[in-house]
Amino acid sequence: MSLSHHQELHVIQRSGWLRAAVLGANDGIISVTSLIMGMAASGASSQTLLVTCIAGLISGATSMAAGEYISVKSQEDIEKSDLRFEATELEKNPHAELKELTEIYISRGLKPELAHEVATQLTEHDALGAHARDEIGIHENTAANPIQAALSSAASFSCGAVLPMLAILLSPSSWVARSVLITGIVSLALLGALSSYFARTSMLKGSLRITLWGILAMAFSSWVGSLFHVTAI
Ligand SMILES: [Zn+2]
């Protein structure tokens, strides 16, 4: 049997975009729903709530994209500068670097002679690659693409933020606050379960965790909003 039949897809390989997408949708639901709850508690009209929702969606999606881009880029910069430093070290002290790599393999359980042999062969094959993986811990497949991460965050934030907007548009004005709240809680519970399903962890735990934090945020902004309550004339 050929080895290529045994290439299972590991969860970690899709964790970059999955993490960004779930965080984005999560933020979209929590922040926009909380915003609406705060405004509703202050006595704002349905129309004001809708405008608030649109503004929240746009500002949130933009800031998520910028934040995600910057975070991935700065991680990339750190890795690049580490690799540059390692490349210089390899050039200046090849013997010390070979010894360093050998010791890493010994500490991982290889016998000294075998560790030396492995380190020598890997150094001949791709010295920087071996040091990047085994010494620094930089792997090709865990690096996220900054543009892809930014777009995915913005798109998923918008998907999350559209839910409270639909709740405002589709419910009668006396029910707006309640239907936004219920939509928020139900969609957070579903999102938590979905992300745990993809990550192959407990769906109940993931769902409860995300929902509890969401309810806390909504309750807090609702309370703050009620402090500013203005009775409509
Ligand atoms: Zn090294």
Side-chain angles (χ1 to χ4, degrees), residues 86 97 100 131 135:
E86 190 65 29
E97 286 294 324
E100 189 183 32
H131 282 261
E135 184 193 341

Side-chain angles (χ1 to χ4, degrees), residues 98-195:
L98 182 63
K99 195 163 168 256
E100 189 183 32
L101 202 56
T102 308
E103 271 156 18
I104 289 170
Y105 297 135
I106 293 174
S107 76
R108 287 190 191 168
L110 296 188
K111 286 185 179 138
E113 309 86 73
L114 183 58
H116 180 72
E117 183 61 29
V118 170
T120 311
Q121 285 198 21
L122 286 179
T123 302
E124 277 164 17
H125 174 67
D126 174 14
L128 188 57
H131 282 261
R133 273 193 318 273
D134 296 330
E135 184 193 341
I136 316 175
I138 297 175
H139 298 261
E140 287 285 331
N141 60 8
T142 52
N145 174 332
I147 300 279
Q148 194 186 352
L151 289 180
S152 147
S153 287
S156 48
F157 183 96
S158 307
C159 288
V162 154
L163 298 171
M165 191 186 292
L166 287 177
I168 296 173
L169 287 172
L170 297 178
S171 63
S173 54
S174 54
W175 267 81
V176 166
R178 259 165 294 185
S179 56
V180 168
L181 179 65
I182 292 165
T183 309
I185 292 173
V186 170
S187 47
L188 281 179
L190 289 177
L191 181 70
L194 190 71
S195 74

Side-chain angles (χ1 to χ4, degrees), residues 8-26:
E8 72 268 43
L9 183 68
H10 282 281
V11 178
I12 198 89
Q13 284 159 355
R14 54 183 174 191
S15 72
W17 66 263
L18 180 67
R19 194 192 117 266
V22 169
L23 273 183
N26 188 24

